[in-house]
Amino acid sequence: MKQLTDDRMKVFFEKLSKYIGSNIKLLIDRSDGKYCFREKKDRVYYVSEKVLNMGSMMNPDNIISIGTCFGKFTKSGKFRIHITSLDYLAPYAQHKMWIKPAAEQQFLYGHNVLKSGLGRITESTTQYQGVILFSMSDVPLGFGVAAKSTTECKHTDPLSVVCFNQADIGEFIRCEEDLI
Amino acid sequence: MGRKAKFGDDGAVKQIKGPGRKAKKQKPPKMLPGLPKLEGDDEPKKLSHRQKQRASRRSKKKEERKLIKKEKKKGVNKDDNVKNINEVSDATKIIKSEIVKQFSDSNSSWLKSKNSKSIIPEKDDDVESYDSESDIDDEVEEENGLESFDEDGLSDDDDYLAGTLDDVDSSNESGIEDTIKKKTSTKKRKAEESDDELLPIEKAAKKLKAAKKKEDAEANEEMKMQINVASQDVFVFPASDKIDEHIPIPEVEQRIKDILLVLSNFNKFREENRSRQEYTELLLKDLCTYFSYNTFLMEKMMHLFPLEDLMSFLEASETPRPVTIRTNSLKTRRRDLAQALINRGVNLDPIGNWSKVGLVVYNSTVPIGATPEYLAGHYMLQAASSMLPVMALAPQENEYILDMCSAPGGKASHIAAIMKNTGVLIANDVNKNRAKAVIGNFHRMGIANSVISTYDGRHMPQLFKNFDRVLLDAPCTGTGVISKDSGVKMSKDETDLQRCFTLQRELLLAAIDSLNFKSSTGGYLVYSTCSVLAEENECVIDYALKKRDVKLVDTGLSFGTEGFTNLRQHRFHPTMKLTRRFYPHTHNMDGFFVAKLKKFSNIIPKNDETEDNEEDIETNNVDAETTEVQNTVEKPVANIKKPKHGRGKNRVEKNK
């Protein structure tokens, strides 16, 4: 249970800013208490100070999760975002895509989103921009990367991919064992 | 549209034949054979081929008989006149003789024989009329011939006959009564005569009918007999050498029912010189074979339930409970969730008045554990009984709460949802693999105020002693959830049970120790198991009441059966009735036990009683039977309270 080093902090925030932009500061300055990011076994947890105090009294070996896991650092030093962070990132998302009900299932099975399944898209989404995907009833479904910009999306053919799947809530069932 | 029924002949128009779309028009519908016929249909039927054959045979026979008769008459009586009279009056003679047979009193002249019809079974009459109705006249003549042949020897009636001769002649015009008589008698004769002429199949049918009648009568007799028997002797106890014999399952089922009946009114139904114990032992054996339990567990069950409840419990334990889900109030509301699921083709209903988050799923077209709503953490698949301990715990916001045995996280996530993600929740489970399920569920449900740890619950007090509330859903034998895991029935024996309740006692003491009694809002502990055995529930609580400064408080659950205060050799603390038990057969949820304790101080009472108790426990463990016997022997009769359940409920009367 340790604080993130500056390097890792930088990598981590860069990744987060792809999805929620400058809203990161809203995650840290909260009205309902102090919240912080802690690293444990390369995983980054977002946890309130109160809970952290409780956790700090326990043997780290016996703690398997504390607060919410945001993702992990890979061996190559990059940060990989986990689906478990969706609850915190979805409300602050800057670029969104809405998926039609018919394509929902496909996405939840880990597939990319095709143009035919795209319901709505935030204007001014650029190519390779991190997006958060929602169902048409505004239920967050996962993370993705825009394969095409908004304008390109309008003119492409229905079978072309518009969003690459990065993480989806189907993983809660598919990879329950190694979720974090 | 289409065809119109033309049942009568008058309205019938012939179908126009010829080319065209409707050339092959459907014929008007035929009358069903059972329906009453219209008036137009009365015209005489043509004889069928067989009827014709039979008629020809009959006429042949008749002629033969006439020949024989003539020859006989020549020999007996040479007077032609007399013979003529005889022939003519034959009919009346028979009628008279018939009447004489049936009515012996004087009012025979106006009294009609009611029995003449009913003597002959109705159906036979129908069959008879089928082939002979058309040629009644024929038959009458023919019968006359036949009968006269038979009754020729009767000479006593001759005078009488002579007198009635006019009657017969005039009957055609005026004698209505006589005609009626004649008709009835002819019918009877017809039946008698028809016996001779019946087809083999008809004969067989008649025989069958008679046999059936006889059988019915016998069955009735037997019923009466059985009713008589029932009051005397319901069940014959098998001989001692046959008890161990293997008998098929249906017979076992019947025997269980019989024994239960005997035991329900033992004085009335018992066999002489058979004790109640013999019956219960046989019942135990049969129940073990029928429900495939091991003897140990079945014995425990029999001690736990009165006999009438035992069967319903065992049967309810075989059938699965309804699927229930709990709404995650952190993410959605029950109404929204229900609407979303109904749109996916799930048939559901609120679980009842006692819960605001529960839903019962009756059936579903989609897998209920893999809908997008489930993945988004809007609900959790959770048994109805699992919501009860959390409701009893009644967590408050900003509290420190410990769930000691949390996997797979159903109850813990419920606690967090009630706390609205405030305060701190420590979800502990000693098994690392099972704790992984807690990680998944917590993240899916959006629970952020938790630490998921893998300590041994017994070491918890060494770390924390400041929890406001503790939930201990202790590991148990699982006798309440046999419908989920039927392996319990065979696999659990005495050592398993002993291991379970020893662990439960240790965990409970540890849980109490980690509570903060000074807490302004809490200091409460909820102990729950999914077992129905008293050893894992009341005994454990009773142990904790003696070992720590805790008291039972009301669980706040509006329903459920009260916990036992007396059970066989056990005498629990009187406040034990504040605990709640839930059964599959009465509440349609898994067998469950919930107790709520409040801690008052950290004092650990040390007195002589504790040692006694320990001894007591040990002896209980080692040999429950002997202690039971000792208890019953030692206790004076006056002190024995009448227990509400179990075999002992009639004990007081018995002793008196």
Side-chain angles (χ1 to χ4, degrees):
Chain A
M1 202 66 64
K2 59 191 175 189
Q3 285 190 317
L4 290 160
T5 60
D6 284 352
D7 291 347
R8 289 198 155 183
M9 187 80 91
K10 202 179 160 214
V11 174
F12 172 61
F13 281 145
E14 264 175 19
K15 185 79 173 185
L16 277 195
S17 65
K18 276 188 179 173
Y19 294 97
I20 58 173
S22 57
N23 286 335
I24 297 172
K25 66 174 187 292
L26 293 175
L27 282 177
I28 298 164
D29 303 332
R30 281 173 64 150
S31 57
D32 58 340
K34 278 186 176 176
Y35 279 76
C36 52
F37 291 101
R38 284 290 179 275
E39 188 194 334
K40 181 180 171 286
K41 282 187 180 172
D42 288 340
R43 267 75 176 165
V44 177
Y45 294 93
Y46 178 64
V47 58
S48 89
E49 208 171 39
K50 210 175 169 186
V51 177
L52 186 65
N53 281 340
M54 209 69 167
S56 61
M57 286 196 265
M58 298 164 119
N59 182 351
D61 292 342
N62 281 324
I63 295 177
I64 54 169
S65 168
I66 179 166
T68 308
C69 178
F70 263 48
K72 70 169 183 186
F73 286 102
T74 59
K75 294 280 190 290
S76 58
K78 288 174 187 164
F79 185 77
R80 205 182 141 172
I81 206 154
H82 277 164
I83 189 62
T84 48
S85 64
L86 186 65
D87 278 331
Y88 283 101
L89 301 188
Y92 304 120
Q94 295 205 311
H95 299 276
K96 300 179 183 179
M97 279 188 185
W98 286 266
I99 306 176
K100 288 177 184 169
E104 232 172 67
Q105 200 78 358
Q106 279 298 305
F107 178 71
L108 293 184
Y109 278 50
H111 300 294
N112 297 331
V113 182
L114 304 180
K115 162 84 188 297
S116 57
L118 186 66
R120 285 161 68 195
I121 183 169
T122 314
E123 287 293 324
S124 77
T125 305
T126 54
Q127 199 175 17
Y128 307 130
Q129 164 79 50
V131 293
I132 294 180
L133 295 108
F134 291 82
S135 74
M136 293 310 276
S137 50
D138 272 333
V139 176
L141 296 177
F143 302 108
V145 168
K148 290 185 169 65
S149 68
T150 310
T151 43
E152 275 175 322
C153 279
K154 280 177 186 164
H155 303 296
T156 188
D157 67 302
L159 286 179
S160 64
V161 175
V162 294
C163 179
F164 301 116
N165 179 316
Q166 287 210 310
D168 62 82
I169 54 174
E171 286 174 24
F172 283 121
I173 291 181
R174 289 207 307 275
C175 340
E176 194 178 15
E177 283 297 297
D178 39 20
L179 200 57
I180 57 173
Chain B
M1 248 194 88
R3 58 204 186 141
K4 273 185 184 156
K6 279 149 191 163
F7 296 109
D9 279 335
D10 10 54
V13 181
K14 272 219 163 179
Q15 296 294 332
I16 302 156
K17 283 187 179 171
R21 262 182 73 221
K22 290 264 178 175
K24 286 191 174 175
K25 209 176 170 186
Q26 268 187 313
K27 284 175 191 169
K30 279 177 187 168
M31 283 295 280
L32 286 172
L35 290 174
K37 301 212 168 170
L38 289 177
E39 283 181 356
D41 285 0
D42 288 357
E43 53 186 338
K45 281 184 224 159
K46 278 188 176 176
L47 290 182
S48 69
H49 178 66
R50 295 233 166 139
Q51 279 176 327
K52 278 177 190 166
Q53 278 185 332
R54 259 178 268 148
S56 64
R57 241 180 277 147
R58 268 198 294 266
S59 55
K60 257 189 193 171
K61 264 193 181 175
K62 199 168 73 183
E63 251 151 21
E64 278 177 8
R65 274 178 206 143
K66 268 185 184 171
L67 278 174
I68 295 164
K69 200 164 60 184
K70 272 179 188 170
E71 283 174 4
K72 263 201 172 179
K73 279 201 175 151
K74 271 176 194 168
V76 175
N77 193 358
K78 286 191 177 176
D79 193 351
D80 283 354
N81 291 333
V82 175
K83 191 183 84 187
N84 278 343
I85 290 164
N86 246 355
E87 269 182 13
V88 175
S89 64
D90 268 342
T92 32
K93 193 170 72 182
I94 289 138
I95 292 159
K96 289 295 164 184
S97 65
E98 285 282 339
I99 289 164
V100 167
K101 271 179 200 167
Q102 291 197 358
F103 312 98
S104 51
D105 45 353
S106 55
N107 47 8
S108 60
S109 57
W110 57 271
L111 197 72
K112 282 165 252 172
S113 74
K114 195 186 170 191
N115 291 338
S116 59
K117 259 190 184 174
S118 59
I119 286 167
I120 312 149
E122 275 185 13
K123 269 194 180 170
D124 276 18
D125 207 29
D126 285 351
V127 172
E128 174 61 27
S129 64
Y130 197 73
D131 48 26
S132 63
E133 222 165 7
S134 50
D135 46 9
I136 280 177
D137 300 2
D138 245 26
E139 265 179 31
V140 172
E141 277 180 29
E142 172 199 337
E143 276 157 23
N144 289 350
L146 182 92
E147 293 290 331
S148 64
F149 170 65
D150 286 344
E151 297 189 12
D152 250 356
L154 290 172
S155 51
D156 327 336
D157 293 345
D158 271 2
D159 299 335
Y160 187 56
L161 286 177
T164 52
L165 183 62
D166 304 323
D167 237 24
V168 173
D169 289 339
S170 63
S171 68
N172 289 337
E173 291 105 77
S174 57
I176 300 162
E177 279 184 4
D178 277 12
T179 42
I180 291 162
K181 275 184 217 162
K182 194 177 169 186
K183 264 189 185 170
T184 50
S185 53
T186 38
K187 252 192 186 171
K188 194 182 173 186
R189 259 179 289 122
K190 228 192 308 173
E192 281 170 359
E193 178 261 356
S194 64
D195 257 9
D196 302 336
E197 296 206 357
L198 280 179
L199 292 176
I201 192 159
E202 286 172 327
K203 276 179 188 166
K206 240 180 182 179
K207 247 184 208 169
L208 266 180
K209 203 156 263 185
K212 210 197 163 192
K213 246 187 184 176
K214 204 176 163 190
E215 212 171 285
D216 281 353
E218 274 172 2
N220 267 337
E221 286 273 293
E222 213 165 301
M223 278 287 282
K224 277 178 200 167
M225 291 271 284
Q226 258 186 359
I227 290 161
N228 289 335
V229 167
S231 57
Q232 295 153 4
D233 191 16
V234 189
F235 166 64
V236 182
F237 204 89
S240 55
D241 53 329
K242 282 185 180 175
I243 282 182
D244 289 330
E245 242 174 44
H246 181 77
I247 59 170
I249 289 293
E251 278 179 44
V252 175
E253 191 185 3
Q254 187 54 45
R255 197 156 81 176
I256 290 170
K257 278 179 194 163
D258 290 342
I259 301 173
L260 285 174
L261 183 65
V262 172
L263 291 173
S264 68
N265 195 343
F266 193 61
N267 281 336
K268 192 177 172 193
F269 296 130
R270 70 181 289 188
E271 268 176 36
E272 294 293 320
N273 66 44
R274 292 273 179 204
S275 68
R276 185 180 279 272
Q277 199 184 354
E278 282 176 278
Y279 279 99
T280 40
E281 268 168 15
L282 187 63
L283 179 65
L284 171 72
K285 203 181 133 291
D286 283 351
L287 285 174
C288 283
T289 34
Y290 187 64
F291 290 103
S292 61
Y293 278 71
N294 62 24
T295 321
F296 167 74
L297 204 56
M298 185 55 82
E299 205 172 339
K300 289 282 174 208
M301 296 291 185
M302 284 176 77
H303 294 166
L304 205 58
F305 295 103
L307 285 175
E308 56 267 34
D309 284 2
L310 178 67
M311 276 305 274
S312 40
F313 172 80
L314 293 173
E315 269 158 16
S317 289
E318 299 295 306
T319 52
R321 306 268 76 77
V323 178
T324 52
I325 58 175
R326 179 179 57 78
T327 319
N328 182 12
S329 52
L330 290 173
K331 287 200 171 183
T332 185
R333 286 174 300 179
R334 185 165 75 169
R335 186 187 299 180
D336 299 339
L337 173 68
Q339 196 54 54
L341 287 179
I342 286 167
N343 289 341
R344 293 203 185 274
V346 180
N347 185 5
L348 42 72
D349 246 352
I351 199 167
N353 291 329
W354 53 272
S355 173
K356 284 181 179 168
V357 289
L359 288 164
V360 187
V361 178
Y362 297 119
N363 54 49
S364 168
T365 51
V366 290
I368 201 77
T371 62
E373 278 77 20
Y374 177 82
L375 295 172
H378 288 184
Y379 66 88
M380 174 100 189
L381 275 167
Q382 194 177 3
S385 54
S386 299
M387 301 175 199
L388 300 168
V390 180
M391 290 167 67
L393 188 68
Q396 309 291 313
E397 288 176 34
N398 292 310
E399 279 185 333
Y400 290 86
I401 295 182
L402 167 69
D403 185 351
M404 225 175 209
C405 311
S406 61
K411 295 180 193 75
S413 60
H414 193 183
I415 293 172
I418 293 175
M419 290 163 75
K420 293 180 184 151
N421 252 340
T422 62
V424 182
L425 169 69
I426 293 189
N428 180 68
D429 200 285
V430 71
N431 186 333
K432 238 176 193 172
N433 286 325
R434 276 166 65 79
K436 275 184 182 166
V438 186
I439 298 175
N441 280 325
F442 272 29
H443 281 98
R444 186 171 57 81
M445 312 278 277
I447 289 155
N449 64 344
S450 69
V451 182
I452 302 165
S453 62
T454 55
Y455 277 99
D456 186 333
R458 290 172 284 189
H459 302 147
M460 265 295 168
Q462 293 154 20
L463 281 163
F464 304 106
K465 292 191 173 196
N466 61 342
F467 287 110
D468 296 308
R469 286 164 206 268
V470 176
L471 173 65
L472 173 58
D473 183 38
C476 62
T477 52
T479 47
V481 287
I482 285 168
S483 54
K484 279 184 190 165
D485 177 19
S486 57
V488 170
K489 295 194 286 191
M490 284 311 261
S491 62
K492 299 293 175 190
D493 59 9
E494 190 153 9
T495 48
D496 290 311
L497 178 65
Q498 199 174 322
R499 260 181 217 138
C500 265
F501 69 67
T502 314
L503 178 63
Q504 283 159 355
R505 283 168 188 202
E506 286 169 358
L507 283 173
L508 183 55
L509 290 192
I512 293 169
D513 288 341
S514 57
L515 263 181
N516 176 16
F517 74 95
K518 285 175 188 159
S519 159
S520 56
T521 54
Y524 292 104
L525 176 141
V526 168
Y527 174 83
S528 66
T529 60
C530 56
S531 170
V532 292
L533 300 181
E535 283 81 357
E536 296 179 84
N537 300 325
E538 280 89 351
C539 289
V540 177
I541 296 289
D542 209 45
Y543 175 78
L545 289 176
K546 283 168 187 163
K547 287 282 190 178
R548 294 289 185 273
D549 187 15
V550 287
K551 277 184 182 140
L552 276 167
V553 292
D554 187 36
T555 54
L557 299 171
S558 55
F559 62 110
T561 325
E562 286 178 1
F564 294 112
T565 49
N566 295 316
L567 184 75
R568 292 177 65 79
Q569 78 271 27
H570 304 293
R571 297 292 170 272
F572 301 117
H573 199 271
T575 53
M576 202 62 79
K577 62 174 183 289
L578 292 170
T579 63
R580 286 282 177 272
R581 288 176 153 266
F582 300 89
Y583 296 124
H585 59 290
T586 46
H587 305 100
N588 196 19
M589 45 176 80
D590 297 322
F592 222 77
F593 174 82
V594 180
K596 190 175 183 179
L597 296 159
K598 184 167 170 56
K599 186 176 175 182
F600 286 95
S601 71
N602 280 331
I603 302 163
I604 297 174
K606 275 189 179 166
N607 47 14
D608 307 336
E609 216 186 340
T610 34
E611 284 171 24
D612 287 357
N613 281 338
E614 273 170 2
E615 276 178 20
D616 196 5
I617 293 149
E618 276 172 21
T619 44
N620 270 350
N621 298 348
V622 174
D623 199 349
E625 292 295 308
T626 48
T627 43
E628 184 201 329
V629 172
Q630 278 171 6
N631 278 346
T632 46
V633 170
E634 280 166 15
K635 287 202 174 177
V637 176
N639 277 358
I640 296 175
K641 280 182 191 167
K642 187 182 170 185
K644 280 181 182 172
H645 308 284
R647 266 175 42 183
K649 64 180 174 184
N650 298 321
R651 190 184 295 148
V652 177
E653 283 93 359
K654 226 178 171 181
N655 284 326
K656 277 173 187 173

